[in-house]
Amino acid sequence: MANDKEALVGMGFDISRVEWALKATGNRGLQPAMDFLFENEGKEVPSDLSTVSESASRPARDAMDVDDDAEDAEALRTLGVKVATDAEAKSIKCSECGKVFRNTALAQFHAEKSGHQEFEESTEEIKPLTEEEKKQKLAELREKMAAKRANKAIEEAKEAKINETIRRKTGKDMGAIKEEMERRQAIKDAEQKKKDKIEDAKAKAAIKAQIEADKKARAEKFAREKALRHGEQIVDAPASAPTASGSTAPVSGVAGKDFKETRLQIRMSTGGQPYTTTLSSDAQLREVAEFLAGQSLAVDVETISFAQHFPRKAFSKSDFSKSLRELGLTPSAVLIATPP
């Protein structure tokens, strides 16, 4: 501890700051004390440490000197130095590089930094540093510490820049993926909306055609009944001529042969949510029954029956083998399904 203190004072540090550093670092050695001094260079020395060097009594100081001598001898043995028995040795010399040190603390510091292990006692006396030399030595040490801190700051700035680049790239990639997903979903939604609009337009046109056909059929029926009441001749309009199945032909302008698919809405006579499906116009009515049986366990293909309100029409079992086109259900129709 005494050698560390002496070495630090010899480097030009104020003795009160040296004592503060040694106490703050728990006397762990020269390097920790130097680091503490540079890190706390601008701070004031606490007042309770100002009298530490004066508090020990003379006997205590003599005991400490004896202990320091023992520690020096042990340190010399650790460094591989043969301890002389006389009092001629005034310094320690590194056998590998020739540098001479005032005490074992400085020699140990040199060994830790250089890795040199061969030391010997020397009779060469090292003169105390002048005030100018102390200031120069202290300036050199501060310059080295400043360079060390600057290099550390540069490395930390580089690392921070790399981390920021990685973070931005990751965020950019995630943003691009999210935008692409949103774009695809928007296209999908637009296509579905367009398709739904077309289907709704077809269904509305078919319903409108059925309403017009129903109005015309009611008008013809009223005219026929009126003619019967007045004994007039009944003349059927060509558009109302019955088909082979005894039902009214499809309305002019809605040619079933022009539609490859038929959109059906099937309502149960017992109530509940209607079923919607799209089948080929060449599909048989039996396929409609099979579709409905697949949707509800209460439906039996062999016993279910179908009817139409506009125009009013009931389908028999013989119609199950006919196509939707032949039954005049294209391009769309509403069927009423009645279980047995």
Side-chain angles (χ1 to χ4, degrees):
M1 179 181 70
N3 291 332
D4 292 342
K5 178 179 176 180
E6 182 181 349
L8 291 170
V9 173
M11 292 179 187
F13 292 103
D14 183 73
I15 188 171
S16 61
R17 303 191 70 84
V18 170
E19 292 171 351
W20 179 31
L22 290 172
K23 185 171 183 180
T25 57
N27 297 310
R28 292 194 304 273
L30 191 63
Q31 185 61 45
M34 288 179 63
D35 292 340
F36 181 86
L37 285 170
F38 285 119
E39 290 175 0
N40 297 273
E41 184 176 354
K43 298 181 181 180
E44 295 183 2
V45 179
S47 59
D48 59 344
L49 295 178
S50 61
T51 59
V52 171
S53 60
E54 301 295 332
S55 61
S57 61
R58 181 65 184 176
R61 287 199 297 272
D62 293 341
M64 289 174 63
D65 292 339
V66 173
D67 292 339
D68 291 342
D69 293 339
E71 290 178 2
D72 290 345
E74 182 63 27
L76 289 173
R77 294 189 189 94
T78 303
L79 291 171
V81 177
K82 294 182 179 180
V83 181
T85 57
D86 55 21
E88 295 292 332
K90 297 181 179 180
S91 61
I92 300 173
K93 182 178 181 180
C94 177
S95 302
E96 298 183 32
C97 66
K99 288 185 178 182
V100 181
F101 305 97
R102 187 186 307 276
N103 50 48
T104 55
L106 294 176
Q108 286 177 332
F109 183 70
H110 173 72
E112 292 174 359
K113 292 296 182 182
S114 63
H116 296 170
Q117 300 296 328
E118 298 294 331
F119 293 87
E120 60 183 346
E121 289 187 335
S122 173
T123 58
E124 182 178 350
E125 184 177 0
I126 300 176
K127 295 181 180 180
L129 296 175
T130 64
E131 291 298 326
E132 187 65 27
E133 289 174 338
K134 289 181 180 180
K135 290 181 180 179
Q136 183 179 356
K137 189 70 173 177
L138 187 59
E140 291 176 358
L141 290 173
R142 287 177 177 173
E143 185 178 351
K144 289 181 181 179
M145 292 299 294
K148 182 178 179 182
R149 290 174 182 173
N151 291 335
K152 184 178 180 181
I154 292 173
E155 293 298 325
E156 289 178 350
K158 288 181 180 179
E159 185 177 355
K161 187 175 181 180
I162 293 173
N163 293 338
E164 179 65 15
T165 302
I166 294 173
R167 186 189 66 79
R168 290 184 178 181
K169 186 177 185 304
T170 303
K172 185 177 180 181
D173 293 344
M174 292 299 295
I177 293 173
K178 184 178 179 181
E179 289 178 0
E180 179 63 18
M181 292 178 64
E182 291 176 351
R183 186 185 69 83
R184 292 183 180 181
Q185 186 63 38
I187 293 174
K188 184 177 179 181
D189 292 343
E191 291 177 351
Q192 184 63 39
K193 187 176 181 180
K194 183 178 179 180
K195 183 177 179 181
D196 292 342
K197 188 175 181 180
I198 294 173
E199 294 294 336
D200 290 342
K202 288 181 180 179
K204 289 178 181 180
I207 293 173
K208 185 177 180 181
Q210 290 177 359
I211 292 174
E212 293 297 328
D214 187 57
K215 288 181 179 179
K216 191 170 185 179
R218 288 200 300 270
E220 290 175 357
K221 181 180 179 182
F222 178 77
R224 186 179 292 107
E225 291 176 351
K226 183 179 179 181
L228 290 173
R229 287 196 302 270
H230 293 83
E232 297 175 355
Q233 183 179 1
I234 299 174
V235 179
D236 292 331
S240 301
T243 62
S245 62
S247 60
T248 305
V251 179
S252 177
V254 188
K257 65 180 180 179
D258 296 334
F259 297 93
K260 295 181 179 181
E261 293 184 342
T262 299
R263 182 180 175 86
L264 297 175
Q265 185 183 93
I266 308 168
R267 300 178 179 176
M268 300 297 296
S269 61
T270 55
Q273 186 72 19
Y275 300 98
T276 303
T277 185
T278 300
L279 299 174
S280 170
S281 296
D282 295 324
Q284 297 179 353
L285 186 60
R286 172 175 286 275
E287 294 182 37
V288 179
E290 291 173 351
F291 162 77
L292 194 59
Q295 304 299 315
S296 175
L297 297 175
V299 175
D300 187 348
V301 176
E302 301 302 328
T303 58
I304 195 72
S305 62
F306 296 100
Q308 200 176 12
H309 283 173
F310 302 103
R312 188 173 297 278
K313 182 178 180 181
F315 299 97
S316 62
K317 280 296 178 183
S318 61
D319 293 327
F320 272 44
S321 60
K322 296 179 181 179
S323 68
L324 302 179
R325 192 193 309 277
E326 292 174 334
L327 297 175
L329 298 176
T330 58
S332 62
V334 178
L335 295 178
I336 307 301
T338 304

